[in-house]
Amino acid sequence: MKKVIVIGSGFSSLSASCYLAKAGFEVELFEKNDTVGGRARQLVKDGFTFDIGPSWYWMPDIFDKFFADFNKETSDYYQLDKLNPAYKIFFEDDTITIGDCMEKICAEFERIESGSSKHLKQFIGEAQENYDIAINKVVLRPGLSPLELVTKETVLKVDQFFKTISQQVRKRFKNPKLISTLEFPVLFLGAKPSKTPSFYNFMNFADFGLGTWHPKGGMYEIIKAMKSLAEELGVTIHTNSPASHILVSDGDVLGIRSNGTNHLADYVVSGADYHHSETLLDKKYRQYSEEYWDRKTYAPSSLLFYIGFDKKLINIEHHNLFFDTDFEKHAQEIYDNPQWPSNPLFYANFPSVTDASMAPEGNETGFFLVPIAPGLEDTPQLRDQYFDIVMDRFEKLTHQSVKKSVIFKESFCVNDFVEQYNSYKGNAYGLANTLSQTAFLRPNLKSSKVKNLFFTGQLTVPGPGVPPSLISGKLVADLIIKEVNK
């Protein structure tokens, strides 16, 4: 039986572990922190439950496919509820509510801009076509060759790789609120809408077509489900076990060193931050230079606040976006001229609005996120300053007083991403999905310098986000299974 060591325990690492164990490999997983989940860990405090990282459950079909590959269903592990409304967007002078079906969303678009629902149906129809191609053709390829992007379907849409989401949206819609609403899902891909190929409008179908869901108990229920599945398949999981070195001899991987002990294996898969993973190798075995990593375009980092409120809040939904300031200016301060934002957009998540298990009775669990450029200075003073900015705006836009109702607040920012996840420049979502960083142009799943060393996760193929991470784990497992069956 061949042995595989997997570094890290985020979605991609757990996914790879499950597929490899099912294929008959002996799998051992090493996680540096005291719980599994990578960036998708959980904070439980005073009866409040917070998802520390991902908080949106989109593309339910990808999760269904993952568990189906093991003859399981998501319902074997967690209860999934479709949110209605999916989310609410606050503008300076109005709010837009995104319902749980196209009929409701079209009605809301018509309220804002007469005639816009006709354009919306056409736009989402095209997005659905692209979703089908992306999910069933493009993302399931391992990014080893440019030819992977060439299918009869993508050839017909080649122009969509050279036009941008921004151009496509603005051609059809004139109202700035509707433009922001349609450009928002691309932020999950970690790049400005004006730099993201229009083919990626499939994210709009994921949003409006498939809807927004919530696993009862929070996103960490998915991690618990995958851990349970992995262990059922025979995976051995070690926590508090950071990899300090990837062992190589004459260009062949031997295993890893963790807590002063060498652990040997036939294959090593790292789902840890790709840049960090390469620093675990002797220099001659690294594929990418520091200059390479430095010139890449990264998805944003985040300033996060986890807040327990001593009362139920009003005028909010489960997911809320605060777009009452200049979208484009904030994007420039993330990507073009990295600095702390002068007037940030932000996101607020209150899972206890729909899931009573997430907060004590009569209280509210609040998760606030400000997207920021990676690599910024991160100090307690800056965190406090932005906490005040966010709370002031939140109070004003939701017409309520909340500051005096804060029982506790915890924060998480650039320094924590570096310290807890070895994240390059403290990025939160990996590499942005720009044209020059799509598919085979991303860092490789397979090392070109060390035999039997592989990588998975959001800095490689297919890209940032939870569903792509599940797919990344499958892609790398498939490559290893092929190597063995050669």
Side-chain angles (χ1 to χ4, degrees):
M1 187 191 285
K2 297 278 189 184
K3 181 172 174 183
V4 183
I5 283 176
V6 178
I7 302 171
S9 67
F11 284 108
S12 57
S13 292
L14 286 170
S15 170
S17 298
C18 289
Y19 283 109
L20 289 164
K22 182 192 172 195
F25 290 84
E26 179 191 347
V27 182
E28 278 195 72
L29 184 148
F30 290 78
E31 165 57 49
K32 80 180 275 287
N33 293 315
D34 58 1
T35 57
V36 299
R39 296 169 197 231
R41 291 183 303 149
Q42 192 178 57
L43 168 67
V44 179
K45 183 171 179 175
D46 300 343
F48 294 85
T49 300
F50 301 86
D51 286 309
I52 286 179
S55 60
W56 291 77
Y57 194 106
W58 272 8
M59 306 187 189
D61 51 322
I62 303 293
F63 297 90
D64 292 343
K65 280 178 190 166
F66 172 79
F67 286 105
D69 283 343
F70 303 92
N71 299 315
K72 304 280 187 185
E73 295 179 5
T74 52
S75 58
D76 295 335
Y77 297 98
Y78 52 87
Q79 177 189 322
L80 204 54
D81 299 309
K82 192 173 191 184
L83 297 181
N84 181 33
Y87 56 92
K88 188 173 185 174
I89 307 178
F90 290 80
F91 295 96
E92 200 167 7
D93 56 352
D94 198 2
T95 60
I96 288 183
T97 303
I98 301 301
D100 62 347
C101 64
M102 276 301 293
E103 197 180 345
K104 291 177 187 170
I105 299 166
C106 283
E108 186 73 334
F109 267 57
E110 280 295 323
R111 178 180 73 79
I112 302 284
E113 184 180 305
S114 181
S116 61
S117 64
K118 181 181 151 208
H119 297 299
L120 180 65
K121 284 176 187 161
Q122 185 190 8
F123 180 72
I124 297 299
E126 290 169 13
Q128 182 170 3
E129 276 179 34
N130 286 356
Y131 186 86
D132 184 51
I133 294 167
I135 299 308
N136 296 314
K137 300 282 194 306
V138 178
V139 301
L140 295 174
R141 299 175 180 221
L144 301 178
S145 152
L147 295 176
E148 290 172 6
L149 286 178
V150 182
T151 68
K152 63 180 191 290
E153 294 88 358
T154 55
V155 164
L156 296 172
K157 292 179 177 279
V158 72
D159 64 316
Q160 292 191 24
F161 286 93
F162 297 96
K163 291 177 182 166
T164 69
I165 290 274
S166 203
Q167 289 167 335
Q168 200 183 22
V169 167
R170 285 154 199 263
K171 193 171 74 182
R172 290 188 168 101
F173 302 92
K174 297 293 169 265
N175 186 285
K177 296 186 181 80
L178 298 187
I179 289 169
S180 291
T181 301
L182 289 168
E183 288 185 345
F184 146 70
V186 179
L187 301 180
F188 282 102
L189 300 171
K192 287 171 72 171
S194 58
K195 289 280 198 304
T196 303
S198 65
F199 180 76
Y200 285 110
N201 73 0
F202 66 75
M203 292 295 290
N204 292 100
F205 175 70
D207 179 1
F208 290 0
L210 299 176
T212 302
W213 300 73
H214 171 72
K216 188 170 172 14
M219 294 289 282
Y220 197 67
E221 292 301 310
I222 314 161
I223 291 292
K224 286 178 7 191
M226 293 177 76
K227 176 179 184 273
S228 170
L229 175 61
E231 289 176 332
E232 199 182 310
L233 291 162
V235 177
T236 304
I237 296 174
H238 307 276
T239 52
N240 296 309
S241 300
S244 56
H245 201 69
I246 296 173
L247 307 170
V248 181
S249 175
D250 294 331
D252 288 353
V253 81
L254 296 180
I256 67 163
R257 186 174 304 130
S258 176
N259 293 334
T261 302
N262 290 349
H263 301 267
L264 304 183
D266 301 289
Y267 297 87
V268 171
V269 175
S270 182
D273 177 273
Y274 203 131
H275 168 269
H276 170 73
S277 301
E278 286 225 313
T279 68
L280 303 179
L281 291 161
D282 293 342
K283 240 181 183 160
K284 64 180 175 181
Y285 293 126
R286 296 174 194 173
Q287 305 167 92
Y288 304 108
S289 66
E290 284 298 316
E291 292 73 29
Y292 170 90
W293 292 111
D294 190 52
R295 66 174 181 261
K296 288 288 167 193
T297 302
Y298 291 87
S301 186
S302 300
L303 169 58
L304 298 149
F305 295 108
Y306 312 108
I307 305 169
F309 294 99
D310 68 6
K311 65 177 182 181
K312 296 303 284 181
L313 305 188
I314 58 169
N315 302 329
I316 51 156
E317 300 297 344
H318 184 123
H319 294 291
N320 308 269
L321 301 163
F322 291 82
F323 284 5
D324 54 308
T325 60
D326 188 335
F327 187 106
E328 183 56 32
K329 184 164 188 223
H330 190 166
Q332 284 169 1
E333 290 167 339
I334 292 173
Y335 296 104
D336 304 335
N337 181 22
Q339 58 185 288
W340 278 90
S342 47
N343 219 351
L345 283 70
F346 65 93
Y347 156 65
N349 170 24
F350 304 99
S352 45
V353 166
T354 57
D355 182 351
S357 72
M358 303 291 283
E361 193 176 347
N363 293 0
E364 209 84 84
T365 290
F367 165 113
F368 290 76
L369 182 155
V370 179
I372 60 171
L376 294 184
E377 179 190 24
D378 169 17
T379 66
Q381 293 79 8
L382 279 163
R383 295 188 190 197
D384 288 344
Q385 179 188 334
Y386 277 82
F387 177 75
D388 289 337
I389 290 170
V390 165
M391 286 300 112
D392 287 345
R393 293 237 313 275
F394 179 76
E395 288 187 332
K396 181 182 161 206
L397 290 160
T398 61
H399 309 291
Q400 64 189 315
S401 169
V402 299
K403 279 190 201 162
K404 289 177 182 162
S405 297
V406 172
I407 301 170
F408 66 82
K409 81 169 195 295
E410 303 271 343
S411 64
F412 199 97
C413 197
V414 172
N415 294 348
D416 302 295
F417 280 105
V418 172
E419 188 265 321
Q420 297 196 28
Y421 309 131
N422 295 307
S423 166
Y424 184 70
K425 292 187 178 178
N427 81 81
Y429 309 103
L431 274 181
N433 261 343
T434 57
L435 180 60
S436 62
Q437 295 180 170
T438 290
F440 66 95
L441 296 170
R442 298 178 75 81
N444 291 330
L445 288 167
K446 181 179 179 181
S447 172
S448 59
K449 293 199 173 178
V450 179
K451 194 180 174 199
N452 297 341
L453 172 62
F454 295 81
F455 302 88
T456 186
Q458 56 189 11
L459 282 166
T460 179
V461 179
V466 177
S469 293
L470 291 180
I471 293 166
S472 187
K474 181 181 193 307
L475 291 174
V476 81
D478 288 346
L479 286 179
I480 293 171
I481 293 161
K482 267 189 201 151
E483 290 273 327
V484 169
N485 294 334
K486 264 182 187 173

